């Protein structure tokens, strides 16, 4: 059995139907979607029903061998390592379903630089699906108020503060930051 998060990352395992539905509901007809780590293409095929174009990256050729047949015209599949591949021009939305992803920061930087607008992922919180606006300005941790934060590096957490400031809104609001205590590699620099 694999022991480390890095080993988990290299395993192909499909997600459940509610997770796929959460992703599909966020896809728009004009989207050009890049799926990072597409496995046997079961989600990529469904993405291609909705989106204008889908590009699927998967590094395990064995997984692709049995899957990449009878593809829709708007789905292009590449057997590549996403850490090294360049994001194609025109990608509007990326999908990264990889709860144990160790390379969130790398992918976020590459997608941001390529002008990609959104990243739909379960990689930051390790649960649920979120759509991250990649082009929105982010806050510095020091100026972020008490509450949940999600960092550009992929880390998440709760910034502490006085107990009397706790309220129900703090439980759902998430602040996007660039320099959380665990990353020390601020995008702002
Ligand atoms: C948890 S599976 C999810 C598969 C698919 N997205 C789905 O939801 O059905 C993650 C996939 O990412 C692939 N993967 C992990 N790291 C990768 C990398 N650096 N480049 C390309 N594929 C990668 C794995 O081989 C695996 O198939």
């Amino acid at each position: 059995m694999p022991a480390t998060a890095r080993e988990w990352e290299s395993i192909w395992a499909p997600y459940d139907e509610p997770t796929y539905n959460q992703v599909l509901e966020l896809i728009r007809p004009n989207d050009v979607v890049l799926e990072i780590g597409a496995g046997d293409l079961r989600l990529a095929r469904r993405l291609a029903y909705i989106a204008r174009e889908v590009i699927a990256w998967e590094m395990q050729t064995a997984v692709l061998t049995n899957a990449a047949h009878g593809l829709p015209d708007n789905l292009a599949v590449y057997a590549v390592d996403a850490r090294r591949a360049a994001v194609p021009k025109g990608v509007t939305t990326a999908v990264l379903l990889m709860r144990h992803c160790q390379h969130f920061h790398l992918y976020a930087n590459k997608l941001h630089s390529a002008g990609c607008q959104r990243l739909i992922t379960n990689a930051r919180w390790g649960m649920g699906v979120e759509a991250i606006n990649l082009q929105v300005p982010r806050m510095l941790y020091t100026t972020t108020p008490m509450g949940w934060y999600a960092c550009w590096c992929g880390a998440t957490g709760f910034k502490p503060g006085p107990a009397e400031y706790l309220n129900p809104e703090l439980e759902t609001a998430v602040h996007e930051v660039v320099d959380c205590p665990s990353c020390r590699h601020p995008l702002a620099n």
Side-chain angles (χ1 to χ4, degrees), residues 9-15 20 35 37-39 42 57-60 80-83 97-98 107:
E9 192 173 325
S10 64
I11 288 178
W12 174 72
Y15 281 96
Y20 290 145
E35 188 181 2
R42 65 182 67 193
W57 285 350
E58 172 55 52
M59 70 177 176
Q60 295 198 55
V80 291
D81 184 334
R83 292 167 295 184
L97 289 186
M98 217 184 284
Y107 298 143

Side-chain angles (χ1 to χ4, degrees), residues 9 15 22 28 44 53 55 75 123 128 138 154 161 179 186:
E9 192 173 325
Y15 281 96
Q22 283 178 60
R28 302 175 289 220
E53 195 183 329
I55 299 147
L75 170 56
R138 290 179 155 70
D179 60 343

Side-chain angles (χ1 to χ4, degrees), residues 90-119:
V91 168
T92 63
T93 299
V95 174
L96 174 70
L97 289 186
M98 217 184 284
R99 285 201 179 108
H100 305 282
C101 185
Q102 301 293 291
H103 304 288
F104 181 91
H105 196 195
L106 172 71
Y107 298 143
N109 275 337
K110 280 162 66 129
L111 292 163
H112 177 267
S113 301
C116 178
Q117 288 144 27
R118 296 187 303 156
L119 172 58

